Amino acid sequence: MTVGMINANPVVHERPERAAHPHPADAIDALDVFDTVRDIKDPEHPYSLEQLSVLSEESVSVDEKLGRIQITFTPTVQHCSMATVIGLCLRLKLMQNFPPHFKIDIKVAPGSLANEESVNKQLNDKERVAAALENPNLRQLVDECLCSNDSHSH
Amino acid sequence: MAMDGGAAAVLREAHRLTGHTDRVWSLAWNPSPGAGAGPVLASCGGDKAVRIWKRAADGAWQCSDVLEDTHNRTVRSCAWSPDGKLLATASFDSTTAIWEYSGGDFECVATLEGHENEVKSVSWSASGSLLATCSRDKSVWIWEMQPGNEYECVSVQQGHTQDVKMVQWHPILDVLVSVSYDNSIRVWADDGDDEWHCVQTLTEANNCGHSSTVWALSFNQKGDRMVTCSDDHTLKIWDTSADLSQPKTSDNQESWRHLSTLTGYHNRTIFSAHWSSEDIIASGAGDDAICLFAEDKSSMVEGPSYRLILKKEKAHDMDINCVRWCPQDPRMLASASDDGTVKLWELRGNALD
């Protein structure tokens, strides 16, 4: 990690509770996906991505017919160098929890990051993602972010 | 072709090869398996292993060898030497291993080091005396084979501005092509004094090039056409008949040029393309589909155009990373996927008229 935090004063929100919603047991919808990723920990702070407003319910869209999951996340600051780590966490979490035929597209919210185009391209190059996840230091960081109370995961 | 009558083309799944425990990244058919030997196919992947597949007497395909414990990260690419006696494997561990193949056994006889990051691709020149590698470190290395399983690095090229995805030699000339995450295609040649240079760069700006990562390329048999495929969901066909291996003079300004763009056939990244000796282009993509194309000889438009022969939807359960036509049987296609399998396909029916 770099000396000093990229964002020393994040805004933190309460974690809203949400009632379970009925739907066929094997169907997947945006709220299921959101529940899977909302509690991923920020790489720098002891808060979840949801608490930091990196993610919200509106971040996720699912087209089950096409087998596609799209996530748009908002890094906490414009020059956040942790954006690629957050993207890796999202991708690994989704790969571990949803059927392999789903295509996953991850992007930063438009206008939210100085090097948006570059980060988006990197996060959606599956070869670079695979190589990054073979890097032991990076993999450990990602695993730590994914290691949380799994009471809200499927 | 008379043998296929008028039946429409069909790609039939003939065999499904299992054994890899992670995604399969790349495939390579041995171009010269030896007198009396049937086809030999190498596959490699995320399980850090290379598998060798052969057809048994009863027609079933078997894994005859597993090469492992040499690379400690993903094996991203594999390539046979033209004489079929050597197999090169490129790995995310930053090395390229050279294996000697004597028809039955493999022995690792050399390890090429120097790249700072993952090696993405390896390719032998048509003469078999040169080997090229490329890496996420943005460089393209050219190695010359020396006696005694030695490889001398004769050139390190730095022209790409990003990750280099694939290198491929021209099928006849000592001309090398590299494609990159920087969206460009670069052509490299020796100026005659053992000095390698970039002799042409094909980009979106000035050559009708790709608008996103270029993942792979393939030449036709004569080397006068090339196909490239990209994250922009297109395939591009190039006229590569100009001989770029000759030093440029003031009266020799020939260059390669764009001929055609195939768009609308795949809706995800196209990871692989391969041109058969029967002039059929296969593509494999992140939409889990295989497409086959051929030149449209009935077209009246100026310049060549290419038509879809067929699209095999759901060819695999996940992304297709590599498609390769069998050199001994040009109607057999191998494909490799994130689903951990290799499939062998038979092309039947009338594909060319």
Side-chain angles (χ1 to χ4, degrees), chain A residues 68 100-101 103-105 118 121-122 125-128 130-131 134-135, chain B residues 23 73-74 76 120 163 165 181 183 213 215 268 286 288 319 321 338:
Chain A
R68 189 173 180 194
H101 71 272
K103 305 300 178 180
I104 299 166
D105 293 312
S118 162
K121 186 167 179 177
Q122 206 170 317
D125 179 322
K126 71 172 191 181
E127 184 191 46
R128 290 177 69 134
E134 286 187 6
N135 177 310
Chain B
R23 59 162 47 108
R73 292 184 62 187
T74 286
R76 177 62 181 86
K120 301 292 176 83
D163 188 351
K165 294 299 193 187
Y181 184 94
N183 311 349
T213 304
W215 279 92
R268 303 284 298 180
D288 313 346
D319 293 10
N321 297 319
D338 280 356

PDB file of all heavy atoms in Angstrom, chain A residues 68 100-101 103-105 118 121-122 125-128 130-131 134-135, chain B residues 23 73-74 76 120 163 165 181 183 213 215 268 286 288 319 321 338:
ATOM      1  N   ARG A  68     -26.166 -11.868 -18.916  1.00  0.00           N
ATOM      2  CA  ARG A  68     -25.221 -10.765 -18.775  1.00  0.00           C
ATOM      3  C   ARG A  68     -25.440 -10.024 -17.468  1.00  0.00           C
ATOM      4  O   ARG A  68     -26.565  -9.697 -17.105  1.00  0.00           O
ATOM      5  CB  ARG A  68     -25.409  -9.803 -19.949  1.00  0.00           C
ATOM      6  CG  ARG A  68     -24.339  -8.744 -20.017  1.00  0.00           C
ATOM      7  CD  ARG A  68     -24.477  -7.933 -21.282  1.00  0.00           C
ATOM      8  NE  ARG A  68     -23.438  -6.915 -21.341  1.00  0.00           N
ATOM      9  CZ  ARG A  68     -23.463  -5.891 -22.184  1.00  0.00           C
ATOM     10  NH1 ARG A  68     -24.475  -5.757 -23.023  1.00  0.00           N
ATOM     11  NH2 ARG A  68     -22.493  -5.004 -22.187  1.00  0.00           N
ATOM     12  N   PRO A 100     -21.201 -20.003 -14.632  1.00  0.00           N
ATOM     13  CA  PRO A 100     -20.074 -19.590 -15.481  1.00  0.00           C
ATOM     14  C   PRO A 100     -20.479 -19.039 -16.836  1.00  0.00           C
ATOM     15  O   PRO A 100     -19.687 -18.348 -17.465  1.00  0.00           O
ATOM     16  CB  PRO A 100     -19.256 -20.879 -15.632  1.00  0.00           C
ATOM     17  CG  PRO A 100     -20.159 -21.979 -15.231  1.00  0.00           C
ATOM     18  CD  PRO A 100     -21.127 -21.414 -14.254  1.00  0.00           C
ATOM     19  N   HIS A 101     -21.681 -19.309 -17.299  1.00  0.00           N
ATOM     20  CA  HIS A 101     -22.037 -18.801 -18.623  1.00  0.00           C
ATOM     21  C   HIS A 101     -22.364 -17.313 -18.601  1.00  0.00           C
ATOM     22  O   HIS A 101     -22.466 -16.692 -19.658  1.00  0.00           O
ATOM     23  CB  HIS A 101     -23.215 -19.583 -19.216  1.00  0.00           C
ATOM     24  CG  HIS A 101     -24.520 -19.313 -18.540  1.00  0.00           C
ATOM     25  ND1 HIS A 101     -24.939 -20.015 -17.444  1.00  0.00           N
ATOM     26  CD2 HIS A 101     -25.498 -18.408 -18.802  1.00  0.00           C
ATOM     27  CE1 HIS A 101     -26.127 -19.558 -17.065  1.00  0.00           C
ATOM     28  NE2 HIS A 101     -26.489 -18.587 -17.862  1.00  0.00           N
ATOM     29  N   LYS A 103     -21.885 -13.498 -18.673  1.00  0.00           N
ATOM     30  CA  LYS A 103     -20.855 -12.555 -19.084  1.00  0.00           C
ATOM     31  C   LYS A 103     -20.919 -11.368 -18.130  1.00  0.00           C
ATOM     32  O   LYS A 103     -21.997 -10.814 -17.896  1.00  0.00           O
ATOM     33  CB  LYS A 103     -21.089 -12.090 -20.521  1.00  0.00           C
ATOM     34  CG  LYS A 103     -21.202 -13.221 -21.534  1.00  0.00           C
ATOM     35  CD  LYS A 103     -19.966 -14.090 -21.593  1.00  0.00           C
ATOM     36  CE  LYS A 103     -20.149 -15.239 -22.573  1.00  0.00           C
ATOM     37  NZ  LYS A 103     -18.984 -16.108 -22.679  1.00  0.00           N
ATOM     38  N   ILE A 104     -19.767 -10.987 -17.600  1.00  0.00           N
ATOM     39  CA  ILE A 104     -19.703  -9.936 -16.592  1.00  0.00           C
ATOM     40  C   ILE A 104     -18.976  -8.723 -17.160  1.00  0.00           C
ATOM     41  O   ILE A 104     -17.852  -8.838 -17.635  1.00  0.00           O
ATOM     42  CB  ILE A 104     -18.957 -10.456 -15.342  1.00  0.00           C
ATOM     43  CG1 ILE A 104     -19.717 -11.654 -14.749  1.00  0.00           C
ATOM     44  CG2 ILE A 104     -18.793  -9.343 -14.317  1.00  0.00           C
ATOM     45  CD1 ILE A 104     -18.912 -12.434 -13.733  1.00  0.00           C
ATOM     46  N   ASP A 105     -19.631  -7.586 -17.121  1.00  0.00           N
ATOM     47  CA  ASP A 105     -19.013  -6.338 -17.576  1.00  0.00           C
ATOM     48  C   ASP A 105     -18.977  -5.369 -16.402  1.00  0.00           C
ATOM     49  O   ASP A 105     -20.004  -5.109 -15.785  1.00  0.00           O
ATOM     50  CB  ASP A 105     -19.814  -5.724 -18.729  1.00  0.00           C
ATOM     51  CG  ASP A 105     -19.761  -6.581 -19.979  1.00  0.00           C
ATOM     52  OD1 ASP A 105     -18.651  -7.004 -20.354  1.00  0.00           O
ATOM     53  OD2 ASP A 105     -20.817  -6.846 -20.578  1.00  0.00           O
ATOM     54  N   SER A 118      -9.140   3.962 -19.338  1.00  0.00           N
ATOM     55  CA  SER A 118      -8.043   3.023 -19.150  1.00  0.00           C
ATOM     56  C   SER A 118      -8.410   1.938 -18.140  1.00  0.00           C
ATOM     57  O   SER A 118      -8.129   0.757 -18.341  1.00  0.00           O
ATOM     58  CB  SER A 118      -6.808   3.802 -18.697  1.00  0.00           C
ATOM     59  OG  SER A 118      -5.872   2.951 -18.134  1.00  0.00           O
ATOM     60  N   LYS A 121     -11.007  -0.525 -19.612  1.00  0.00           N
ATOM     61  CA  LYS A 121     -10.422  -1.474 -20.564  1.00  0.00           C
ATOM     62  C   LYS A 121      -9.687  -2.583 -19.815  1.00  0.00           C
ATOM     63  O   LYS A 121      -9.793  -3.765 -20.153  1.00  0.00           O
ATOM     64  CB  LYS A 121      -9.477  -0.739 -21.516  1.00  0.00           C
ATOM     65  CG  LYS A 121      -8.936  -1.617 -22.629  1.00  0.00           C
ATOM     66  CD  LYS A 121      -8.258  -0.799 -23.716  1.00  0.00           C
ATOM     67  CE  LYS A 121      -7.709  -1.701 -24.817  1.00  0.00           C
ATOM     68  NZ  LYS A 121      -7.110  -0.948 -25.935  1.00  0.00           N
ATOM     69  N   GLN A 122      -8.967  -2.202 -18.782  1.00  0.00           N
ATOM     70  CA  GLN A 122      -8.198  -3.176 -18.015  1.00  0.00           C
ATOM     71  C   GLN A 122      -9.111  -4.164 -17.290  1.00  0.00           C
ATOM     72  O   GLN A 122      -8.863  -5.364 -17.275  1.00  0.00           O
ATOM     73  CB  GLN A 122      -7.355  -2.414 -16.995  1.00  0.00           C
ATOM     74  CG  GLN A 122      -6.107  -3.101 -16.560  1.00  0.00           C
ATOM     75  CD  GLN A 122      -5.225  -2.164 -15.750  1.00  0.00           C
ATOM     76  OE1 GLN A 122      -5.055  -1.003 -16.091  1.00  0.00           O
ATOM     77  NE2 GLN A 122      -4.685  -2.674 -14.673  1.00  0.00           N
ATOM     78  N   ASP A 125     -10.501  -6.855 -19.653  1.00  0.00           N
ATOM     79  CA  ASP A 125      -9.570  -7.721 -20.390  1.00  0.00           C
ATOM     80  C   ASP A 125      -9.359  -8.962 -19.525  1.00  0.00           C
ATOM     81  O   ASP A 125      -8.612  -8.926 -18.544  1.00  0.00           O
ATOM     82  CB  ASP A 125      -8.258  -6.986 -20.640  1.00  0.00           C
ATOM     83  CG  ASP A 125      -7.237  -7.839 -21.379  1.00  0.00           C
ATOM     84  OD1 ASP A 125      -7.151  -9.054 -21.113  1.00  0.00           O
ATOM     85  OD2 ASP A 125      -6.506  -7.297 -22.220  1.00  0.00           O
ATOM     86  N   LYS A 126     -10.003 -10.051 -19.876  1.00  0.00           N
ATOM     87  CA  LYS A 126     -10.015 -11.216 -18.994  1.00  0.00           C
ATOM     88  C   LYS A 126      -8.637 -11.843 -18.835  1.00  0.00           C
ATOM     89  O   LYS A 126      -8.369 -12.518 -17.842  1.00  0.00           O
ATOM     90  CB  LYS A 126     -11.003 -12.258 -19.510  1.00  0.00           C
ATOM     91  CG  LYS A 126     -10.547 -12.947 -20.778  1.00  0.00           C
ATOM     92  CD  LYS A 126     -11.480 -14.094 -21.118  1.00  0.00           C
ATOM     93  CE  LYS A 126     -10.882 -14.936 -22.216  1.00  0.00           C
ATOM     94  NZ  LYS A 126     -11.760 -16.043 -22.592  1.00  0.00           N
ATOM     95  N   GLU A 127      -7.750 -11.636 -19.818  1.00  0.00           N
ATOM     96  CA  GLU A 127      -6.402 -12.194 -19.701  1.00  0.00           C
ATOM     97  C   GLU A 127      -5.609 -11.435 -18.644  1.00  0.00           C
ATOM     98  O   GLU A 127      -4.885 -12.027 -17.843  1.00  0.00           O
ATOM     99  CB  GLU A 127      -5.689 -12.121 -21.054  1.00  0.00           C
ATOM    100  CG  GLU A 127      -4.319 -12.758 -21.051  1.00  0.00           C
ATOM    101  CD  GLU A 127      -3.526 -12.436 -22.298  1.00  0.00           C
ATOM    102  OE1 GLU A 127      -3.503 -11.263 -22.701  1.00  0.00           O
ATOM    103  OE2 GLU A 127      -2.931 -13.346 -22.874  1.00  0.00           O
ATOM    104  N   ARG A 128      -5.746 -10.115 -18.647  1.00  0.00           N
ATOM    105  CA  ARG A 128      -5.043  -9.329 -17.635  1.00  0.00           C
ATOM    106  C   ARG A 128      -5.644  -9.568 -16.256  1.00  0.00           C
ATOM    107  O   ARG A 128      -4.932  -9.570 -15.254  1.00  0.00           O
ATOM    108  CB  ARG A 128      -5.071  -7.847 -18.013  1.00  0.00           C
ATOM    109  CG  ARG A 128      -4.188  -7.603 -19.240  1.00  0.00           C
ATOM    110  CD  ARG A 128      -4.224  -6.183 -19.706  1.00  0.00           C
ATOM    111  NE  ARG A 128      -3.572  -5.266 -18.785  1.00  0.00           N
ATOM    112  CZ  ARG A 128      -2.709  -4.324 -19.166  1.00  0.00           C
ATOM    113  NH1 ARG A 128      -2.376  -4.231 -20.427  1.00  0.00           N
ATOM    114  NH2 ARG A 128      -2.201  -3.495 -18.288  1.00  0.00           N
ATOM    115  N   ALA A 130      -6.934 -12.454 -15.300  1.00  0.00           N
ATOM    116  CA  ALA A 130      -6.414 -13.768 -14.894  1.00  0.00           C
ATOM    117  C   ALA A 130      -4.975 -13.651 -14.399  1.00  0.00           C
ATOM    118  O   ALA A 130      -4.594 -14.253 -13.389  1.00  0.00           O
ATOM    119  CB  ALA A 130      -6.495 -14.746 -16.064  1.00  0.00           C
ATOM    120  N   ALA A 131      -4.163 -12.874 -15.108  1.00  0.00           N
ATOM    121  CA  ALA A 131      -2.761 -12.723 -14.702  1.00  0.00           C
ATOM    122  C   ALA A 131      -2.668 -11.988 -13.366  1.00  0.00           C
ATOM    123  O   ALA A 131      -1.858 -12.350 -12.502  1.00  0.00           O
ATOM    124  CB  ALA A 131      -1.975 -11.987 -15.787  1.00  0.00           C
ATOM    125  N   GLU A 134      -3.219 -14.147 -10.456  1.00  0.00           N
ATOM    126  CA  GLU A 134      -2.126 -15.085 -10.176  1.00  0.00           C
ATOM    127  C   GLU A 134      -0.974 -14.399  -9.434  1.00  0.00           C
ATOM    128  O   GLU A 134      -0.017 -15.054  -9.041  1.00  0.00           O
ATOM    129  CB  GLU A 134      -1.584 -15.694 -11.485  1.00  0.00           C
ATOM    130  CG  GLU A 134      -2.500 -16.731 -12.099  1.00  0.00           C
ATOM    131  CD  GLU A 134      -1.880 -17.447 -13.291  1.00  0.00           C
ATOM    132  OE1 GLU A 134      -0.691 -17.231 -13.592  1.00  0.00           O
ATOM    133  OE2 GLU A 134      -2.601 -18.234 -13.934  1.00  0.00           O
ATOM    134  N   ASN A 135      -1.050 -13.089  -9.280  1.00  0.00           N
ATOM    135  CA  ASN A 135      -0.023 -12.367  -8.525  1.00  0.00           C
ATOM    136  C   ASN A 135      -0.336 -12.541  -7.041  1.00  0.00           C
ATOM    137  O   ASN A 135      -1.392 -12.107  -6.579  1.00  0.00           O
ATOM    138  CB  ASN A 135      -0.065 -10.890  -8.928  1.00  0.00           C
ATOM    139  CG  ASN A 135       0.922 -10.049  -8.150  1.00  0.00           C
ATOM    140  OD1 ASN A 135       0.979 -10.110  -6.914  1.00  0.00           O
ATOM    141  ND2 ASN A 135       1.694  -9.253  -8.849  1.00  0.00           N
TER     142      ASN A 135
ATOM    143  N   ARG B  23      -9.270 -23.016 -17.474  1.00  0.00           N
ATOM    144  CA  ARG B  23      -9.534 -22.628 -18.861  1.00  0.00           C
ATOM    145  C   ARG B  23      -8.403 -23.078 -19.780  1.00  0.00           C
ATOM    146  O   ARG B  23      -7.241 -23.126 -19.391  1.00  0.00           O
ATOM    147  CB  ARG B  23      -9.744 -21.119 -18.975  1.00  0.00           C
ATOM    148  CG  ARG B  23      -8.552 -20.336 -18.494  1.00  0.00           C
ATOM    149  CD  ARG B  23      -8.505 -18.886 -18.974  1.00  0.00           C
ATOM    150  NE  ARG B  23      -9.672 -18.081 -18.874  1.00  0.00           N
ATOM    151  CZ  ARG B  23      -9.855 -17.078 -17.996  1.00  0.00           C
ATOM    152  NH1 ARG B  23      -8.936 -16.827 -17.092  1.00  0.00           N
ATOM    153  NH2 ARG B  23     -10.935 -16.351 -18.031  1.00  0.00           N
ATOM    154  N   ARG B  73       3.112 -20.801 -13.551  1.00  0.00           N
ATOM    155  CA  ARG B  73       1.893 -20.023 -13.745  1.00  0.00           C
ATOM    156  C   ARG B  73       1.253 -20.466 -15.059  1.00  0.00           C
ATOM    157  O   ARG B  73       1.795 -21.309 -15.773  1.00  0.00           O
ATOM    158  CB  ARG B  73       2.207 -18.519 -13.761  1.00  0.00           C
ATOM    159  CG  ARG B  73       2.664 -17.987 -12.395  1.00  0.00           C
ATOM    160  CD  ARG B  73       2.872 -16.484 -12.382  1.00  0.00           C
ATOM    161  NE  ARG B  73       1.647 -15.762 -12.674  1.00  0.00           N
ATOM    162  CZ  ARG B  73       1.580 -14.448 -12.862  1.00  0.00           C
ATOM    163  NH1 ARG B  73       2.677 -13.721 -12.779  1.00  0.00           N
ATOM    164  NH2 ARG B  73       0.435 -13.866 -13.129  1.00  0.00           N
ATOM    165  N   THR B  74       0.121 -19.871 -15.374  1.00  0.00           N
ATOM    166  CA  THR B  74      -0.604 -20.189 -16.607  1.00  0.00           C
ATOM    167  C   THR B  74       0.328 -20.381 -17.799  1.00  0.00           C
ATOM    168  O   THR B  74       1.266 -19.602 -17.986  1.00  0.00           O
ATOM    169  CB  THR B  74      -1.579 -19.034 -16.921  1.00  0.00           C
ATOM    170  OG1 THR B  74      -2.676 -19.102 -16.022  1.00  0.00           O
ATOM    171  CG2 THR B  74      -2.095 -19.093 -18.343  1.00  0.00           C
ATOM    172  N   ARG B  76       0.166 -19.791 -21.505  1.00  0.00           N
ATOM    173  CA  ARG B  76      -0.738 -18.959 -22.293  1.00  0.00           C
ATOM    174  C   ARG B  76      -0.757 -19.341 -23.773  1.00  0.00           C
ATOM    175  O   ARG B  76      -1.735 -19.122 -24.474  1.00  0.00           O
ATOM    176  CB  ARG B  76      -0.313 -17.484 -22.132  1.00  0.00           C
ATOM    177  CG  ARG B  76      -1.106 -16.494 -22.955  1.00  0.00           C
ATOM    178  CD  ARG B  76      -2.566 -16.493 -22.560  1.00  0.00           C
ATOM    179  NE  ARG B  76      -3.379 -15.584 -23.340  1.00  0.00           N
ATOM    180  CZ  ARG B  76      -3.934 -15.876 -24.513  1.00  0.00           C
ATOM    181  NH1 ARG B  76      -3.741 -17.055 -25.077  1.00  0.00           N
ATOM    182  NH2 ARG B  76      -4.680 -14.995 -25.145  1.00  0.00           N
ATOM    183  N   LYS B 120       2.923 -13.741 -23.534  1.00  0.00           N
ATOM    184  CA  LYS B 120       1.585 -13.970 -24.073  1.00  0.00           C
ATOM    185  C   LYS B 120       1.572 -14.915 -25.271  1.00  0.00           C
ATOM    186  O   LYS B 120       0.568 -15.566 -25.540  1.00  0.00           O
ATOM    187  CB  LYS B 120       0.960 -12.626 -24.491  1.00  0.00           C
ATOM    188  CG  LYS B 120       0.840 -11.597 -23.362  1.00  0.00           C
ATOM    189  CD  LYS B 120      -0.158 -12.021 -22.313  1.00  0.00           C
ATOM    190  CE  LYS B 120      -0.246 -11.093 -21.126  1.00  0.00           C
ATOM    191  NZ  LYS B 120      -1.107  -9.929 -21.344  1.00  0.00           N
ATOM    192  N   ASP B 163       0.716  -3.851 -23.534  1.00  0.00           N
ATOM    193  CA  ASP B 163       0.628  -5.309 -23.605  1.00  0.00           C
ATOM    194  C   ASP B 163       0.581  -5.824 -25.052  1.00  0.00           C
ATOM    195  O   ASP B 163      -0.271  -5.413 -25.831  1.00  0.00           O
ATOM    196  CB  ASP B 163      -0.690  -5.615 -22.891  1.00  0.00           C
ATOM    197  CG  ASP B 163      -1.013  -7.036 -22.629  1.00  0.00           C
ATOM    198  OD1 ASP B 163      -0.335  -7.932 -23.122  1.00  0.00           O
ATOM    199  OD2 ASP B 163      -2.001  -7.237 -21.913  1.00  0.00           O
ATOM    200  N   LYS B 165      -0.260  -8.919 -27.395  1.00  0.00           N
ATOM    201  CA  LYS B 165      -1.100 -10.108 -27.233  1.00  0.00           C
ATOM    202  C   LYS B 165      -0.626 -11.315 -28.032  1.00  0.00           C
ATOM    203  O   LYS B 165      -0.788 -12.450 -27.606  1.00  0.00           O
ATOM    204  CB  LYS B 165      -2.547  -9.792 -27.640  1.00  0.00           C
ATOM    205  CG  LYS B 165      -3.267  -8.791 -26.754  1.00  0.00           C
ATOM    206  CD  LYS B 165      -3.379  -9.265 -25.325  1.00  0.00           C
ATOM    207  CE  LYS B 165      -4.348  -8.446 -24.507  1.00  0.00           C
ATOM    208  NZ  LYS B 165      -4.338  -8.809 -23.090  1.00  0.00           N
ATOM    209  N   TYR B 181      -2.716  -4.710 -27.132  1.00  0.00           N
ATOM    210  CA  TYR B 181      -3.701  -4.004 -26.325  1.00  0.00           C
ATOM    211  C   TYR B 181      -3.730  -2.511 -26.674  1.00  0.00           C
ATOM    212  O   TYR B 181      -4.681  -1.813 -26.344  1.00  0.00           O
ATOM    213  CB  TYR B 181      -3.299  -4.209 -24.860  1.00  0.00           C
ATOM    214  CG  TYR B 181      -4.156  -3.675 -23.757  1.00  0.00           C
ATOM    215  CD1 TYR B 181      -5.124  -4.472 -23.156  1.00  0.00           C
ATOM    216  CD2 TYR B 181      -3.952  -2.402 -23.239  1.00  0.00           C
ATOM    217  CE1 TYR B 181      -5.869  -4.009 -22.082  1.00  0.00           C
ATOM    218  CE2 TYR B 181      -4.691  -1.933 -22.165  1.00  0.00           C
ATOM    219  CZ  TYR B 181      -5.646  -2.733 -21.588  1.00  0.00           C
ATOM    220  OH  TYR B 181      -6.370  -2.274 -20.524  1.00  0.00           O
ATOM    221  N   ASN B 183      -4.203  -1.456 -29.516  1.00  0.00           N
ATOM    222  CA  ASN B 183      -5.098  -1.470 -30.686  1.00  0.00           C
ATOM    223  C   ASN B 183      -4.361  -1.537 -32.017  1.00  0.00           C
ATOM    224  O   ASN B 183      -5.000  -1.482 -33.065  1.00  0.00           O
ATOM    225  CB  ASN B 183      -6.052  -0.252 -30.736  1.00  0.00           C
ATOM    226  CG  ASN B 183      -6.787   0.003 -29.434  1.00  0.00           C
ATOM    227  OD1 ASN B 183      -6.769  -0.819 -28.518  1.00  0.00           O
ATOM    228  ND2 ASN B 183      -7.425   1.156 -29.336  1.00  0.00           N
ATOM    229  N   THR B 213      -8.415  -3.525 -28.314  1.00  0.00           N
ATOM    230  CA  THR B 213      -7.359  -4.543 -28.282  1.00  0.00           C
ATOM    231  C   THR B 213      -7.429  -5.487 -29.479  1.00  0.00           C
ATOM    232  O   THR B 213      -8.494  -6.005 -29.801  1.00  0.00           O
ATOM    233  CB  THR B 213      -7.490  -5.389 -26.998  1.00  0.00           C
ATOM    234  OG1 THR B 213      -7.463  -4.531 -25.861  1.00  0.00           O
ATOM    235  CG2 THR B 213      -6.365  -6.415 -26.900  1.00  0.00           C
ATOM    236  N   TRP B 215      -6.448  -9.078 -30.613  1.00  0.00           N
ATOM    237  CA  TRP B 215      -6.120 -10.299 -29.876  1.00  0.00           C
ATOM    238  C   TRP B 215      -5.314 -11.307 -30.687  1.00  0.00           C
ATOM    239  O   TRP B 215      -4.513 -12.048 -30.128  1.00  0.00           O
ATOM    240  CB  TRP B 215      -7.410 -10.969 -29.380  1.00  0.00           C
ATOM    241  CG  TRP B 215      -7.921 -10.330 -28.130  1.00  0.00           C
ATOM    242  CD1 TRP B 215      -8.819  -9.306 -28.032  1.00  0.00           C
ATOM    243  CD2 TRP B 215      -7.548 -10.651 -26.788  1.00  0.00           C
ATOM    244  NE1 TRP B 215      -9.027  -8.980 -26.717  1.00  0.00           N
ATOM    245  CE2 TRP B 215      -8.257  -9.789 -25.920  1.00  0.00           C
ATOM    246  CE3 TRP B 215      -6.673 -11.588 -26.222  1.00  0.00           C
ATOM    247  CZ2 TRP B 215      -8.130  -9.824 -24.543  1.00  0.00           C
ATOM    248  CZ3 TRP B 215      -6.546 -11.625 -24.841  1.00  0.00           C
ATOM    249  CH2 TRP B 215      -7.273 -10.744 -24.022  1.00  0.00           C
ATOM    250  N   ARG B 268     -19.359 -10.261 -28.703  1.00  0.00           N
ATOM    251  CA  ARG B 268     -18.378 -10.091 -27.634  1.00  0.00           C
ATOM    252  C   ARG B 268     -16.994 -10.094 -28.282  1.00  0.00           C
ATOM    253  O   ARG B 268     -16.865 -10.319 -29.480  1.00  0.00           O
ATOM    254  CB  ARG B 268     -18.461 -11.245 -26.619  1.00  0.00           C
ATOM    255  CG  ARG B 268     -19.808 -11.482 -25.958  1.00  0.00           C
ATOM    256  CD  ARG B 268     -20.188 -10.516 -24.877  1.00  0.00           C
ATOM    257  NE  ARG B 268     -19.292 -10.521 -23.727  1.00  0.00           N
ATOM    258  CZ  ARG B 268     -19.492  -9.724 -22.669  1.00  0.00           C
ATOM    259  NH1 ARG B 268     -20.521  -8.907 -22.636  1.00  0.00           N
ATOM    260  NH2 ARG B 268     -18.652  -9.755 -21.654  1.00  0.00           N
ATOM    261  N   GLY B 286     -15.935 -14.415 -27.310  1.00  0.00           N
ATOM    262  CA  GLY B 286     -16.501 -14.407 -25.979  1.00  0.00           C
ATOM    263  C   GLY B 286     -18.006 -14.609 -25.961  1.00  0.00           C
ATOM    264  O   GLY B 286     -18.597 -14.689 -24.893  1.00  0.00           O
ATOM    265  N   ASP B 288     -19.219 -17.302 -27.030  1.00  0.00           N
ATOM    266  CA  ASP B 288     -19.248 -18.766 -27.023  1.00  0.00           C
ATOM    267  C   ASP B 288     -19.512 -19.357 -28.409  1.00  0.00           C
ATOM    268  O   ASP B 288     -19.825 -20.546 -28.515  1.00  0.00           O
ATOM    269  CB  ASP B 288     -20.303 -19.334 -26.046  1.00  0.00           C
ATOM    270  CG  ASP B 288     -20.276 -18.686 -24.672  1.00  0.00           C
ATOM    271  OD1 ASP B 288     -19.295 -17.980 -24.349  1.00  0.00           O
ATOM    272  OD2 ASP B 288     -21.249 -18.867 -23.916  1.00  0.00           O
ATOM    273  N   ASP B 319     -16.446 -18.618 -23.018  1.00  0.00           N
ATOM    274  CA  ASP B 319     -15.623 -17.975 -24.057  1.00  0.00           C
ATOM    275  C   ASP B 319     -14.776 -18.984 -24.824  1.00  0.00           C
ATOM    276  O   ASP B 319     -14.218 -19.916 -24.237  1.00  0.00           O
ATOM    277  CB  ASP B 319     -14.626 -16.994 -23.425  1.00  0.00           C
ATOM    278  CG  ASP B 319     -15.258 -15.774 -22.786  1.00  0.00           C
ATOM    279  OD1 ASP B 319     -16.499 -15.727 -22.641  1.00  0.00           O
ATOM    280  OD2 ASP B 319     -14.493 -14.872 -22.413  1.00  0.00           O
ATOM    281  N   ASN B 321     -11.296 -19.335 -26.718  1.00  0.00           N
ATOM    282  CA  ASN B 321     -10.010 -18.630 -26.695  1.00  0.00           C
ATOM    283  C   ASN B 321      -9.143 -18.904 -27.908  1.00  0.00           C
ATOM    284  O   ASN B 321      -8.229 -18.131 -28.188  1.00  0.00           O
ATOM    285  CB  ASN B 321      -9.234 -19.025 -25.432  1.00  0.00           C
ATOM    286  CG  ASN B 321      -9.966 -18.614 -24.175  1.00  0.00           C
ATOM    287  OD1 ASN B 321     -10.523 -17.523 -24.120  1.00  0.00           O
ATOM    288  ND2 ASN B 321      -9.992 -19.482 -23.180  1.00  0.00           N
ATOM    289  N   ASP B 338     -12.807 -21.367 -22.127  1.00  0.00           N
ATOM    290  CA  ASP B 338     -12.792 -21.143 -20.682  1.00  0.00           C
ATOM    291  C   ASP B 338     -13.520 -22.260 -19.938  1.00  0.00           C
ATOM    292  O   ASP B 338     -13.385 -22.367 -18.719  1.00  0.00           O
ATOM    293  CB  ASP B 338     -13.494 -19.817 -20.350  1.00  0.00           C
ATOM    294  CG  ASP B 338     -12.601 -18.602 -20.563  1.00  0.00           C
ATOM    295  OD1 ASP B 338     -11.413 -18.779 -20.888  1.00  0.00           O
ATOM    296  OD2 ASP B 338     -13.097 -17.475 -20.394  1.00  0.00           O
TER     297      ASP B 338
END
